[in-house]
Amino acid sequence: MPDQQLGIVMTLLSVLMVLFTGMIRAQPGDLTVTGLKVEYMSNPVGIDEHRPRLSWKLQTRQRNTRQTAYRLQVSETGKFSADGILWDTGRVSSDRSVHLAYRGPDLESGKRYFWRVQTWDNHGNRSGWSDPAFWEMGLLTPGDWAATWIEPGLEQDTTRPQPAPMLRREFQLDGNVRRARAYVTSHGLYEMKINGQNVGNQLFTPGWTSYHNRLQYQTYDVTDLLSSGDNAVGVTLGNGWFRGWIGFSNQRNFYGTRLALLVQIEVTYADGTTELITSDGSWKASTGPIRMSDIYDGEVYDATMEKKGWTNAGYDDSNWTPVRTARHGKVHLAAPDAPPVRKIQELHPVEILTTPEGDTVVDMGQNMVGWIRLRTNGPRNHIITLHHAEVLDKEGNFYTENLRAAEQKVTYILNGGGDEVYEPHFTFQGFRYVKVEGYPGELTKDDLVGVVIHSDMEPTGHFETSSALVNQLQHNIVWGQKGNFLDIPTDCPQRDERLGWTGDIQVFAQTACYNMDAAGFLDKWLQDLEADQREDGAVPYVIPNVLGENAVGASGWGDASVIVPWTLYQAYGDERILQQQYDSMKQWVEFMRERAQADSTTYLWDNNFTFGDWLSFNSDASDYPGAYTDKELISTAFFARSTELLHKTAVILGRNEDAMRYTGLHEAIKDAFQVEYVTMSGRVLSNTQTAYLLALQFDLLPEDFEHAAIRYLLADIRERGHHTTGFLGTPHLNPVLSQYGYDQQAYELLLRTEYPSWLYPVTMGATTIWERWDGIKPDSTFQDPGMNSFNHYAYGAIGEWLYKTVAGIEPAEPGYRTMAIKPTPGGGFTHVRSIKETMFGTTASEWNFTGDRFSMRVEVPVNTTAEVTLPNAAGKEVISGGEELSDGNGINTSEEQNEDLVLDLGSG
């Protein structure tokens, strides 16, 4: 059936219908400005970019609309009268609506600035002013911090988890509060309350960074939490990544042994006077119900030890311990660039079951990351324990071996006397199944709720097809991203690891940027990469680096320092990310060059440890031990790739001397690669799929050798009947096949359901992407528990091909200012629909088969253009809007290119 329908796609497009959504004529004045953002954020509070960049979107129902001019105003008061304007650009003739840097007077710490935009278009329309938006500055210099670092004056055994410290202070406010801000950070994690109410809804603050180099602080609007008279502030501290168990070998206290707090509350009264409430020696410390909280192991919460009212004024803290002041410095404090971690959604149990071993297990129906909100009622001191796991074993029993040493256990000790509701605090679990021990009475589905947490990134991509299996694959890709984008891009969210492996995000970044607005998230992570990069340019295996000074320098992993910034530039048109990361990119390439030439004058990088094509296909067959690709070949290939991207970056940034240097280096690496690894017949050393894929994707072969290489690649796929690639080869498999015109073979790989394949885990009930192709083997036994995560996004990199090739949406220039919409029908699909929210607005591509009639619907945002390819439509009858296709009314040009019809479209 798939081959037959492919044939229909390729030969029987007798009629092709094209629909352009929203392309109706409108009256003048239809143009509006929406979606105002500052540094990727809507109305951010507490940023420290001295020249923040402003972006907006345009909306109109009129086809083929482009911005021709804009006017932007900034005000300190929110009033845009003549005497209230801080910066007015006047009318500027420009189509630019993305990343426009503020160029007004210097911005001041703690101030809020309001802005609005007006635009003109190519039809002679002028928009009204947009609704005002704002941004608010944080504390821009260390001198803006009047607060003192404080540490709990408690004696604690830092060799093992300890009760969470609680710090408090009372204060008086002598007047009505007009405005109040709290600036907060910590060593460890913090949760803050004022007068018994939560400060913000962010989780795992201040986030995980390279703490010795960069420590984030958060800014909160606390105006509504304060009142005239007596007030109180309380903060609970958790070990988190700072001094909890992190990495391998029972490693604790990596960044320090003592938790600490820095708080500055700035109050402005109604009469304009101000007051500061800060962390200082007047605070007191104690411990309470959180007896232990660790990211890997979970939490022990004793409700009998709760201190009721401790964050309210009037609480008796006479037996609390004084805090210590500390000198930790404030030079390295920074406002966050990434969206915070938050509670995003809730899941309800789908089943409560009793396992063959007699355990009570709750199935949440989805492998998720977060925790369980527990509701219970029982006697005082009664203990309930929740264990968390991703899968059940072959017999249906609770399975935790793949967690390794991580306990993922939550213990709740009841206070007694009525209904109790509990959620953990400084820990998270990766799980689908929950084993419940000690629940008093009958456990029902209403007693547990799954709280899903991750970095609060805006969803920007949607992909669906007529195939339920492929739709589940896309679901799994998105949920793998949700579970592993928790302040940093982690490799897994459940076992004793949860680290920011550079190789994983290197291969997944493009898919990530399709699914979600990952710009700020990855920007923040890249700053930590540069901070932890060694002086010789070597990039650690994980960022932040908790594996040590020598866990650095692996090809395909360290290349994240170059490939991820380049990916962000392509996805968001963000030239600043290239400027910001340029030195780091260059240092990595220079590290590779130095290593390649350490033992010779060639440009072969063959003298460093690397992970190679991690987890590539292995076999028990005596005549095929596995798809091993020479690691030195891989290293040299990535050396070439990063050098090429560095050259392109230097050109964009106008660094002409570097551009010349690195184009020469790139050519030298290519020459060395061809001499060492390519035979005269076009065979690439190792003769594996990954070897051919890297050589082809990175353009490392002489042009007249490429067809031979693709033939060898296809021959191996046909002989094996499946792909054999690992982490580094898999992302390039289907893109390379499509690039050389072998879409049918790419679809066959996509739709394969036997091991190894993308859909095999789907057929085994997966709800996220697995670390291994056969995490659960066909006989329902497990792979090696030493490394077998069931939530691991790397192989989800196929998502890029789904968006870019199947649906056909990709940027033709960085940031989607112009885009290519070129779908590739096939695979037996009768329907494909994809939506991509860009910096300019919504792009959509949808195609359908009804019998032998092919229809296509596209949407192009205002202020952009698109080259739309109608596959196999040359010489066919093409209908648009019920009429025969013709130029005009949004279609700028149309021309036949081989078998296709290519349209140049304006917006609509």
Side-chain angles (χ1 to χ4, degrees):
M1 185 62 176
D3 289 344
Q4 292 173 348
Q5 292 197 359
L6 278 167
I8 291 174
V9 174
M10 304 305 290
T11 62
L12 296 181
L13 291 178
S14 59
V15 178
L16 188 146
M17 301 178 64
V18 186
L19 304 173
F20 304 112
T21 65
M23 288 186 172
I24 62 175
R25 296 197 178 277
Q27 297 298 317
D30 183 54
L31 184 68
T32 56
V33 182
T34 63
L36 277 63
K37 288 193 174 183
V38 180
E39 296 296 334
Y40 299 102
M41 295 175 280
S42 299
N43 297 332
V45 175
I47 65 173
D48 59 10
E49 176 59 49
H50 290 255
R51 299 290 177 187
R53 296 167 305 161
L54 314 177
S55 302
W56 59 89
K57 297 176 182 178
L58 301 176
Q59 290 185 348
T60 180
R61 294 185 297 164
Q62 201 162 7
R63 289 186 179 188
N64 199 17
T65 298
R66 302 184 307 278
Q67 175 184 293
T68 58
Y70 68 82
R71 184 180 182 185
L72 192 153
Q73 292 181 335
V74 177
S75 165
E76 289 184 276
T77 63
K79 297 179 180 179
F80 292 91
S81 56
D83 58 351
I85 303 295
L86 180 67
W87 183 50
D88 189 335
T89 64
R91 175 170 171 162
V92 178
S93 295
S94 171
D95 64 357
R96 188 169 183 181
S97 60
V98 171
H99 303 315
L100 181 77
Y102 168 81
R103 297 296 180 190
D106 289 347
L107 302 172
E108 299 179 33
S109 290
K111 277 198 173 181
R112 176 170 289 193
Y113 298 88
F114 300 85
W115 66 292
R116 64 179 186 172
V117 184
Q118 184 180 46
T119 64
W120 290 258
D121 71 17
N122 56 310
H123 303 298
N125 298 318
R126 180 181 66 180
S127 75
W129 286 103
S130 67
D131 291 336
F134 67 84
W135 78 86
E136 187 174 306
M137 304 306 293
L139 301 183
L140 301 180
T141 69
D144 293 325
W145 287 90
T148 300
W149 280 99
I150 58 175
E151 297 174 344
L154 306 169
E155 295 303 323
Q156 294 191 317
D157 179 3
T158 58
T159 64
R160 58 190 181 90
Q162 295 292 293
M166 302 153 61
L167 294 82
R168 73 180 306 272
R169 177 193 166 176
E170 295 191 20
F171 55 93
Q172 277 200 327
L173 298 179
D174 299 322
N176 294 323
V177 178
R178 187 179 75 196
R179 179 183 189 273
R181 296 292 181 268
Y183 305 95
V184 191
T185 189
S186 64
H187 289 173
L189 303 177
Y190 72 84
E191 292 181 356
M192 182 173 176
K193 291 188 176 184
I194 291 178
N195 295 328
Q197 300 181 68
N198 291 328
V199 174
N201 60 3
Q202 303 182 19
L203 302 172
F204 293 91
T205 47
W208 189 9
T209 55
S210 175
Y211 289 130
H212 298 316
N213 299 292
R214 288 184 353 105
L215 178 63
Q216 295 180 142
Y217 68 90
Q218 282 71 41
T219 303
Y220 303 97
D221 182 346
V222 295
T223 308
D224 294 339
L225 303 184
L226 297 172
S227 59
S228 179
D230 295 334
N231 294 265
V233 54
V235 180
T236 306
L237 298 179
N239 291 332
W241 302 285
F242 187 85
R243 75 168 189 184
W245 177 16
I246 193 69
F248 309 123
S249 305
N250 199 29
Q251 176 176 273
R252 305 193 71 83
N253 306 308
F254 185 83
Y255 294 101
T257 59
R258 299 199 63 85
L259 303 181
L261 176 67
L262 186 68
V263 173
Q264 183 161 307
I265 303 174
E266 299 188 359
V267 178
T268 302
Y269 292 110
D271 62 3
T273 59
T274 61
E275 185 169 356
L276 288 180
I277 295 92
T278 67
S279 49
D280 57 25
S282 68
W283 289 55
K284 290 187 174 183
S286 184
T287 59
I290 303 176
R291 307 313 296 164
M292 183 282 287
S293 195
D294 192 285
I295 287 176
Y296 292 167
D297 280 350
E299 183 167 292
V300 175
Y301 188 95
D302 186 347
T304 68
M305 301 185 70
E306 290 176 341
K307 291 178 165 56
K308 300 294 185 184
W310 73 276
T311 61
N312 289 314
Y315 176 81
D316 182 7
D317 60 9
S318 58
N319 63 344
W320 285 40
T321 302
V323 299
R324 304 185 184 99
T325 59
R327 296 183 178 181
H328 293 307
K330 302 156 190 172
V331 175
H332 63 312
L333 298 181
D337 295 300
V341 178
R342 289 192 173 102
K343 300 177 184 179
I344 304 298
Q345 66 190 101
E346 295 183 353
L347 300 179
H348 296 274
V350 297
E351 184 180 7
I352 298 178
L353 52 93
T354 301
T355 70
E357 293 181 348
D359 295 322
T360 299
V361 173
V362 180
D363 180 4
M364 302 304 298
Q366 170 66 50
N367 197 5
M368 57 167 282
V369 173
W371 52 70
I372 289 293
R373 181 189 304 132
L374 177 68
R375 181 181 299 276
T376 188
N377 187 323
R380 187 175 177 85
N381 291 316
H382 186 81
I383 298 174
I384 302 173
T385 304
L386 306 180
H387 302 265
H388 303 77
E390 295 184 285
V391 292
L392 303 180
D393 69 13
K394 184 176 182 179
E395 288 74 32
N397 290 309
F398 199 69
Y399 180 80
T400 59
E401 286 186 62
N402 70 315
L403 303 181
R404 303 192 302 217
E407 291 193 359
Q408 282 212 134
K409 181 175 70 173
V410 171
T411 299
Y412 180 69
I413 303 172
L414 277 68
N415 190 37
D419 290 340
E420 302 179 42
V421 178
Y422 161 72
E423 296 184 37
H425 298 80
F426 302 114
T427 185
F428 62 88
Q429 288 81 49
F431 66 100
R432 172 174 173 170
Y433 298 95
V434 185
K435 182 171 70 172
V436 182
E437 295 178 335
Y439 191 85
E442 180 183 357
L443 181 69
T444 72
K445 294 180 183 179
D446 295 333
D447 297 321
L448 297 93
V449 174
V451 179
V452 178
I453 67 170
H454 58 79
S455 290
D456 192 7
M457 296 167 291
E458 176 188 354
T460 56
H462 173 81
F463 178 86
E464 67 179 51
T465 75
S466 53
S467 166
L469 290 177
V470 174
N471 292 344
Q472 184 64 42
L473 172 64
Q474 170 66 9
H475 169 98
N476 294 0
I477 293 170
V478 171
W479 274 86
Q481 185 170 347
K482 287 181 179 181
N484 284 289
F485 274 40
L486 199 156
D487 204 62
I488 67 164
T490 60
D491 64 319
C492 60
Q494 74 296 97
R495 68 188 180 213
D496 56 344
E497 193 165 352
R498 313 183 195 192
L499 304 177
W501 285 92
T502 48
D504 298 49
I505 193 58
Q506 181 267 119
V507 301
F508 187 71
Q510 289 191 355
T511 298
C513 293
Y514 271 108
N515 287 332
M516 301 177 187
D517 180 358
F521 177 88
L522 292 175
D523 181 356
K524 173 253 186 186
W525 181 80
L526 284 169
Q527 293 178 61
D528 291 302
L529 184 151
E530 183 172 20
D532 277 346
Q533 192 169 7
R534 227 166 52 177
E535 288 188 7
D536 64 358
V539 174
Y541 304 154
V542 302
I543 299 296
N545 182 20
V546 293
L547 298 185
E549 179 72 11
N550 295 319
V552 298
S555 66
W557 272 248
D559 296 278
S561 61
V562 176
I563 293 173
V564 174
W566 183 257
T567 298
L568 293 180
Y569 173 65
Q570 295 298 314
Y572 304 104
D574 190 344
E575 190 173 309
R576 191 193 66 182
I577 195 70
L578 299 181
Q579 296 171 338
Q580 171 188 295
Q581 297 301 129
Y582 185 79
D583 288 345
S584 173
M585 298 164 74
K586 183 176 178 179
Q587 288 167 9
W588 170 247
V589 170
E590 285 299 317
F591 168 79
M592 291 189 288
R593 183 195 60 77
E594 188 280 330
R595 295 302 301 144
Q597 294 191 304
D599 302 321
S600 68
T601 58
T602 69
Y603 292 92
L604 300 173
W605 187 18
D606 57 4
N607 54 5
N608 262 76
F609 167 78
T610 187
F611 297 95
D613 191 27
W614 191 248
L615 295 182
S616 59
F617 177 71
N618 200 358
S619 171
D620 295 330
S622 59
D623 62 339
Y624 186 71
Y628 174 79
T629 304
D630 183 86
K631 290 184 177 181
E632 288 74 24
L633 178 151
I634 292 173
S635 294
T636 303
F638 274 95
F639 180 20
R641 177 58 173 164
S642 285
T643 302
E644 177 190 27
L645 295 183
L646 181 62
H647 156 70
K648 291 181 177 181
T649 300
V651 171
I652 292 166
L653 299 181
R655 303 188 182 219
N656 298 330
E657 186 175 332
D658 276 359
M660 292 181 61
R661 170 182 171 83
Y662 291 114
T663 192
L665 177 58
H666 178 239
E667 289 302 319
I669 301 167
K670 282 182 64 173
D671 290 344
F673 183 93
Q674 292 169 13
V675 169
E676 186 74 8
Y677 300 121
V678 183
T679 72
M680 293 302 295
S681 66
R683 192 181 295 273
V684 179
L685 185 69
S686 299
N687 198 39
T688 63
Q689 293 175 22
T690 291
Y692 291 110
L693 291 168
L694 296 183
L696 290 164
Q697 183 79 323
F698 295 170
D699 191 24
L700 297 176
L701 301 176
E703 186 174 350
D704 55 351
F705 280 35
E706 291 179 6
H707 291 294
I710 196 74
R711 286 198 304 271
Y712 286 125
L713 171 63
L714 289 168
D716 191 82
I717 293 172
R718 292 188 184 109
E719 180 180 359
R720 308 299 165 202
H722 55 77
H723 66 252
T724 63
T725 50
F727 274 29
L728 298 184
T730 298
H732 307 299
L733 180 56
N734 281 26
V736 166
L737 291 174
S738 289
Q739 177 185 341
Y740 286 91
Y742 295 97
D743 297 303
Q744 178 173 342
Q745 286 76 11
Y747 269 115
E748 288 172 353
L749 290 174
L750 171 70
L751 298 175
R752 175 183 166 87
T753 55
E754 299 83 7
Y755 162 75
S757 68
W758 285 285
L759 294 185
Y760 167 73
V762 174
T763 67
M764 298 295 285
T767 60
T768 44
I769 298 296
W770 293 354
E771 179 176 22
R772 294 176 176 269
W773 296 116
D774 60 342
I776 301 176
K777 299 179 182 180
D779 65 358
S780 296
T781 60
F782 294 114
Q783 255 287 0
D784 181 358
M787 191 176 63
N788 195 22
S789 165
F790 294 99
N791 193 350
H792 206 100
Y793 57 67
Y795 286 137
I798 185 64
E800 175 201 355
W801 182 79
L802 297 178
Y803 280 105
K804 187 180 291 186
T805 302
V806 177
I809 298 176
E810 66 174 315
E813 68 174 275
Y816 294 87
R817 178 62 182 83
T818 62
M819 64 197 71
I821 299 180
K822 186 179 180 181
T824 305
F829 296 158
T830 58
H831 166 75
V832 168
R833 177 171 177 260
S834 182
I835 299 172
K836 172 63 182 148
E837 188 68 26
T838 73
M839 295 291 291
F840 296 92
T842 303
T843 297
S845 172
E846 179 179 353
W847 55 264
N848 296 274
F849 273 107
T850 305
D852 63 353
R853 173 169 291 196
F854 177 82
S855 63
M856 184 174 166
R857 182 186 298 269
V858 300
E859 184 173 351
V860 181
V862 179
N863 206 29
T864 70
T865 59
E867 182 181 87
V868 177
T869 300
L870 310 182
N872 299 285
K876 305 293 194 309
E877 179 186 1
V878 180
I879 299 171
S880 173
E883 301 177 356
E884 187 173 343
L885 182 72
S886 61
D887 293 353
N889 196 23
I891 301 175
N892 298 323
T893 63
S894 60
E895 64 174 318
E896 294 184 356
Q897 293 183 6
N898 299 320
E899 297 178 347
D900 302 329
L901 183 64
V902 179
L903 311 178
D904 178 33
L905 298 183
S907 65

